[in-house]
Amino acid sequence: MPPSTPGRVVVISGPSGAGKTTLMKELFRRSERPLVASVSATTRPPRPTEVNGIDYHFLSHDDFAARRRAGDFLECFEVFGRGHWYGTLWGEVAPSLAAGKWVVLEIDVQGTRSVLVRYPDALTIFVGTESLEELERRLRGRGTESEDSIHRRLEVARRELAASDFYLHHVVNDTLDRAVQELLEILKRG
Ligand code: 5GP
């Protein structure tokens, strides 16, 4: 029997450094929607705090390519400026949708375009900062990025922002509380 409340695909994109991770955490804590996170697959190595199967499914290049050939991905791309593959597995999305969940994908702009081909009614949200200068200030403030990495991330952000017109919603992460409130409203309206 189909679920009484149909599931929904929610896509959240935006540059690294815009505070997406913190926002998402709050969203999952506070939203009344039945949210579930899609765990992406990637060929990039895990960072020290990351756990396989929770933060990502960490795959070798060979495994990733084999799963791609097998048609396991809803979308997958070599993410610009990173030199690694990232992708959304059907298995992370389809069963949850069938169970009436709202499946949240944190993916880049090119991935979002592919998802929209399959799910044209996906709720797409682009999270950014007030300006690229503010993004640069935040990236520098972290103190973890090399000059090279800051430039690369800003270049990616510039490109993504320029290509983000098609998102249904643009949220500026100026203050955490306000931005979370706006995201909660967007999800509530659906
Ligand atoms: P990070 O390596 O910092 O975790 O993520 C880098 C970028 O990859 C982010 O911009 C994120 O949105 C994107 N990304 C993560 N998972 C996926 C995915 O499954 N598909 C696509 N297209 N992009 C992804």
Side-chain angles (χ1 to χ4, degrees), residues 12-14 16 20 40-41 44 47 50 56 75-77 79 82 86-88 106-108 110-112 153 160:
I12 301 192
S13 304
S16 63
K20 249 182 321 173
S40 291
R44 86 150 161 75
R47 296 177 184 132
E50 288 178 331
Y56 281 102
E75 60 79 32
C76 67
F77 285 100
V79 170
R82 311 240 167 190
Y86 293 79
T88 306
E106 197 187 326
I107 62 176
D108 73 347
Q110 51 185 346
T112 306
R153 282 166 195 265
E160 291 225 311

Side-chain angles (χ1 to χ4, degrees), residues 3-40:
S4 51
T5 339
R8 188 91 196 261
V9 172
V10 180
V11 180
I12 301 192
S13 304
S16 63
K20 249 182 321 173
T21 313
T22 315
L23 277 179
M24 299 272 281
K25 211 180 276 170
E26 282 301 299
L27 204 59
F28 271 80
R29 206 169 61 81
R30 289 169 54 184
S31 176
E32 284 167 12
R33 295 294 190 190
L35 301 182
V36 60
S38 158
V39 179
S40 291

